[in-house]
Amino acid sequence: MKSVKKHIIIRLPKSKITTFNRNKDKILQIVDEIIQKNIEVKRNENFEIYSERVSLTVNELYYEKLEELAKKYKMPISTLVRNIIFQLS
């Protein structure tokens, strides 16, 4: 049975690209941690220009988890992931 993968396109400032690349594998673990420990994701309105686009590929299970968190915080999935990246740095 073939696993369905979802691609999430995230716009980031150039200064956060290295943070994303360094922590790309940890983002899914952090999502689990946010759900299990009920950690709040703070909306960060960074005023840098979001000039770069990066892609995060997740399986359907993690996409569903991200959808639930996005509904909880009332923001799109890409914004949610961007805010998680901002909290990492």
Side-chain angles (χ1 to χ4, degrees):
M1 186 171 192
K2 190 174 182 179
S3 173
V4 176
K5 300 282 185 179
K6 301 276 188 169
H7 299 283
I8 303 166
I9 304 297
I10 307 149
R11 293 176 49 217
L12 291 171
K14 281 186 177 185
S15 63
K16 301 297 179 188
I17 297 296
T18 55
T19 303
F20 173 78
N21 289 331
R22 196 176 11 181
N23 296 306
K24 191 173 186 177
D25 298 331
K26 294 180 186 178
I27 291 174
L28 300 180
Q29 295 169 351
I30 294 167
V31 168
D32 281 337
E33 201 173 297
I34 289 170
I35 293 170
Q36 290 172 358
K37 296 181 181 178
N38 203 16
I39 299 171
E40 184 178 348
V41 176
K42 297 177 186 172
R43 186 177 209 110
N44 186 348
E45 295 300 328
N46 191 334
F47 294 107
E48 293 181 58
I49 297 173
Y50 301 141
S51 59
E52 301 291 322
R53 287 189 170 92
V54 293
S55 176
L56 179 67
T57 304
V58 296
N59 62 25
E60 201 167 357
L61 174 67
Y62 276 102
Y63 192 80
E64 290 172 7
K65 289 180 180 183
L66 286 168
E67 280 182 325
E68 289 175 24
L69 280 176
K71 287 179 187 175
K72 178 180 177 181
Y73 292 109
K74 297 176 184 158
M75 63 178 81
I77 292 174
S78 59
T79 304
L80 175 72
V81 174
R82 179 173 50 228
N83 287 316
I84 291 171
I85 293 166
F86 285 159
Q87 286 182 344
L88 289 174
S89 53

